[in-house]
Amino acid sequence: SDISINVSLSYNKLISERIIKGDQKDSKRKFLESILKSRFDTDYSANDVVSQIKSGLEDSGWIEVFNNSLKNSSPLICGLGSGHVLETSLTLHRIWGMPYIPGSSLKGVCRQVVFWELSERKLLDNSEQKQMGENNTLDKLANFQNIFYGNLCPEEEEVFVYQLLFGAQDFKGLLLFLDAYLDLSHQDSKQPFKLEIMNPHYSEYYGDDKGRVIPGDWENPVPIFFLIVKSGVKFRFAVFFDNYRWEKIKREGIEVVRKDKKVVIKIGNGIETRVNHLIKDKYFIKKILKDALEMNGVGSKTRLGYGIFQFV
């Protein structure tokens, strides 16, 4: 009965003192269960939102490279570690109140997939691995990581291509990943929430800063309830390419600072051809997203199997 129309306001602001202090038995669990009943309006459509954004972007020279709805095959939670009075959090849209996946998270996991694919090609080939020791391999991998996630590196042609697309320390990438919102044309997306539980068995041990307490089975587990997005919910994913800026870069190059001096990195024909080829390949982004969302997952607790999506 306490829950307002906006779930985000309810979850982040409508928390009474009794819930925080736990004066009432199971007060936190009951508060979260009341949010589970939230049902999102069918008038909202992620497809309409993406279409409106797409129209504006295309007028500014952007090109759509991916646009599709995907269903999660495992529970999803974004923003679990964000600051919240209930210890655990969930990323909710401030206006619509519904869960969503930030575009920055999607871009990050896709960029990670690209990094490991390039690493395997460049450093972890079986024949090369046999010729060098394990420590040497790790050193080279760390060095390659610094190159890939560092400033633009035109000397490494293959890395440079993906830095242009996904960005570098001194360059904003040409790919734009939109936030992924609920696709409410799918029935299961209208009530997306589920209550999950963490059950730490050794609370006193983990909370002991001085190292005097040992983990013991005599401690009582204290369950922690938190909100997640249940399996079988559809989100709309969309990725765009900044063709206007790319055309300008091909003409004028990229101005960067090297050793306190401004220099211009020119785009050669080889790099131009490779970038153009990848953007025109309709399977390029789809394959990266597929590997990222089916194998790695997105959001929090991905190592426990959360955040996995399925491609049809």
Side-chain angles (χ1 to χ4, degrees), residues 80-103:
L80 179 67
S82 300
H84 196 275
V85 70
L86 297 182
E87 299 178 83
T88 55
S89 186
L90 177 67
T91 300
L92 300 174
H93 195 278
R94 295 192 66 174
I95 298 174
W96 296 319
M98 60 181 58
Y100 72 98
I101 306 171

Side-chain angles (χ1 to χ4, degrees), residues 110-123:
C110 288
R111 194 180 180 196
Q112 185 183 41
V113 165
V114 171
F115 167 74
W116 283 111
E117 285 185 357
L118 292 181
S119 299
E120 289 174 4
R121 261 186 261 164
K122 192 174 182 66
L123 300 174

Side-chain angles (χ1 to χ4, degrees), residues 147-156 159-165 167-172 249 254-256 258 265 267:
I147 294 173
F148 183 84
Y149 287 103
N151 292 329
L152 283 174
C153 186
E155 297 81 15
E156 294 279 349
V159 172
F160 186 48
V161 169
Y162 287 100
Q163 285 182 325
L164 289 172
L165 295 173
Q169 289 288 341
D170 55 356
F171 178 75
K172 180 182 178 181
I249 287 172
I254 305 171
E255 187 179 273
V256 296
R258 294 288 186 270
I265 300 175
I267 304 299

Side-chain angles (χ1 to χ4, degrees), residues 8-266:
S8 178
L9 283 175
S10 302
Y11 182 61
N12 292 299
K13 303 295 184 182
L14 193 66
I15 301 176
S16 64
E17 188 176 358
R18 62 178 170 78
I19 295 176
I20 299 172
K21 293 184 176 181
D23 294 337
Q24 182 177 325
K25 184 179 180 181
D26 296 330
S27 54
K28 177 181 175 181
R29 177 177 59 81
K30 290 179 179 179
F31 172 75
L32 294 176
E33 284 177 347
S34 64
I35 295 181
L36 296 182
K37 303 173 185 176
S38 304
R39 184 177 179 87
F40 293 103
D41 198 307
T42 54
D43 291 340
Y44 166 83
S45 171
N47 300 342
D48 294 338
V49 173
V50 172
S51 297
Q52 292 173 7
I53 296 175
K54 175 183 174 181
S55 177
L57 289 174
E58 288 179 339
D59 290 342
S60 303
W62 293 78
I63 298 173
E64 178 190 286
V65 292
F66 186 85
N67 184 0
N68 205 356
S69 290
L70 303 173
K71 185 188 296 185
N72 63 328
S73 56
S74 71
L76 166 73
I77 178 166
C78 291
L80 179 67
S82 300
H84 196 275
V85 70
L86 297 182
E87 299 178 83
T88 55
S89 186
L90 177 67
T91 300
L92 300 174
H93 195 278
R94 295 192 66 174
I95 298 174
W96 296 319
M98 60 181 58
Y100 72 98
I101 306 171
S104 56
S105 297
L106 292 172
K107 186 175 184 179
V109 71
C110 288
R111 194 180 180 196
Q112 185 183 41
V113 165
V114 171
F115 167 74
W116 283 111
E117 285 185 357
L118 292 181
S119 299
E120 289 174 4
R121 261 186 261 164
K122 192 174 182 66
L123 300 174
L124 302 180
D125 180 75
N126 289 333
S127 59
E128 184 179 349
Q129 198 172 15
K130 292 176 182 178
Q131 298 174 6
M132 56 181 168
E134 182 180 349
N135 291 335
N136 193 18
T137 304
L138 293 175
D139 290 341
K140 288 193 173 185
L141 184 62
N143 182 57
F144 181 68
Q145 183 178 17
N146 291 333
I147 294 173
F148 183 84
Y149 287 103
N151 292 329
L152 283 174
C153 186
E155 297 81 15
E156 294 279 349
E157 203 170 281
E158 194 166 21
V159 172
F160 186 48
V161 169
Y162 287 100
Q163 285 182 325
L164 289 172
L165 295 173
F166 288 92
Q169 289 288 341
D170 55 356
F171 178 75
K172 180 182 178 181
L174 296 168
L175 289 177
L176 171 65
F177 289 73
L178 297 187
D179 296 337
Y181 297 114
L182 292 178
D183 185 351
L184 295 183
S185 62
H186 182 61
Q187 190 65 29
D188 288 342
S189 301
K190 295 175 182 178
Q191 281 188 288
F193 296 117
K194 181 183 176 184
L195 203 58
E196 190 65 283
I197 185 175
M198 287 186 284
N199 204 16
H201 283 66
Y202 311 117
S203 302
E204 293 183 16
Y205 167 72
Y206 290 123
D208 177 31
D209 297 332
K210 298 181 179 180
R212 296 177 179 176
V213 178
I214 62 172
D217 292 334
W218 52 83
E219 288 190 43
N220 291 324
V222 181
I224 300 173
F225 294 93
F226 61 100
L227 281 179
I228 63 168
V229 177
K230 64 185 181 183
S231 303
V233 173
K234 274 193 174 183
F235 287 81
R236 191 77 181 183
F237 295 85
V239 185
F240 292 84
F241 174 75
D242 191 348
N243 193 59
Y244 173 81
R245 193 155 61 100
W246 173 233
E247 293 296 329
K248 184 178 180 182
I249 287 172
K250 288 191 291 185
R251 293 192 308 267
E252 303 174 5
I254 305 171
E255 187 179 273
V256 296
V257 176
R258 294 288 186 270
K259 297 180 179 179
D260 298 327
K261 293 183 179 180
K262 291 183 179 180
V263 297
V264 176
I265 300 175
K266 293 292 185 179

